[in-house]
Amino acid sequence: IMKFNIHALLALILLLTSYRCSKKQPSPEIVENWKETMVEYSGIPMNVRINTGLKPVIGHAAYSFHVGISIPANKSIANEDEAQKIKFLEQKIISLFTDNTLCLVACIMESKDGLEIIMYTGKPKKVKEKFTALRKEITTHELQLNIQKDTKWFTFNQYSL
């Protein structure tokens, strides 16, 4: 009968478990390819910019959560001053949430009522933490966050060209 050192056995189990959990799925190479189109949603015309370069990533386990960040316009987005403010916020959000590939930007939908950035992530808690901090920092607009499981990338496929 073999005797096992319980501490050595536990150390081995922890080592094997951490190795298995740290293995990442390889990410497909992503080449951004933006297309633009006009669509109508509930009678409201929208300009949709979509990153068709993300098609190889659809369904990838590392990006199975839909993230929508909305920037409602304070005035009509046709107002040049408001349009510049929203463009600044769009760039800030994209920069913040794509840092270290936390999120992939899939599409940007713009209407007279504001703008929504659709991204995909595998780390919804981290996104929520960053959004909470961002929302405290941004006082000019009432940013909104929507996170939901979306392994099939429904929104992306809905507008994909």
Side-chain angles (χ1 to χ4, degrees):
I1 295 178
M2 293 179 80
K3 289 187 176 180
F4 289 101
N5 179 333
I6 191 70
H7 296 291
L9 185 59
L10 286 174
L12 180 61
I13 290 170
L14 284 173
L15 178 67
L16 291 173
T17 304
S18 66
Y19 172 75
R20 186 177 56 87
C21 292
S22 69
K23 288 175 72 176
K24 295 180 179 176
Q25 284 188 295
S27 294
E29 186 173 326
I30 299 167
V31 178
E32 285 194 8
N33 184 22
W34 288 90
K35 306 274 181 179
E36 194 167 335
T37 189
M38 289 296 292
V39 298
E40 197 170 293
Y41 182 77
S42 297
I44 299 171
M46 289 188 346
N47 180 44
V48 177
R49 292 174 274 157
I50 190 154
N51 185 359
T52 60
L54 294 181
K55 285 184 180 181
V57 186
I58 293 173
H60 195 283
Y63 302 102
S64 59
F65 286 86
H66 162 113
V67 175
I69 298 181
S70 298
I71 310 167
N74 289 333
K75 307 171 193 164
S76 171
I77 202 162
N79 174 307
E80 187 60 34
D81 183 48
E82 180 67 3
Q84 287 178 356
K85 288 177 186 174
I86 288 179
K87 187 68 174 169
F88 170 79
L89 291 173
E90 173 189 340
Q91 292 168 349
K92 184 175 185 73
I93 290 166
I94 289 171
S95 175
L96 180 66
F97 287 91
T98 59
D99 187 36
N100 293 319
T101 62
L102 174 62
C103 295
L104 299 176
V105 180
C107 60
I108 300 167
M109 300 180 289
E110 188 174 0
S111 75
K112 67 178 180 58
D113 298 325
L115 181 128
E116 183 167 5
I117 302 166
I118 303 297
M119 300 177 281
Y120 287 88
T121 189
K123 300 175 182 171
K125 288 180 184 175
K126 182 80 170 167
V127 168
K128 193 169 185 175
E129 289 170 10
K130 280 193 174 210
F131 179 80
T132 301
L134 177 68
R135 197 165 183 196
K136 289 177 185 173
E137 179 186 331
I138 304 298
T139 57
T140 59
H141 292 77
E142 187 68 31
L143 303 181
Q144 300 169 0
L145 175 67
N146 174 27
I147 300 176
Q148 58 192 2
K149 187 83 169 168
D150 185 9
T151 57
K152 299 201 187 304
W153 287 36
F154 176 77
T155 303
F156 177 82
N157 286 317
Q158 184 178 1
Y159 295 108
S160 187
L161 306 173

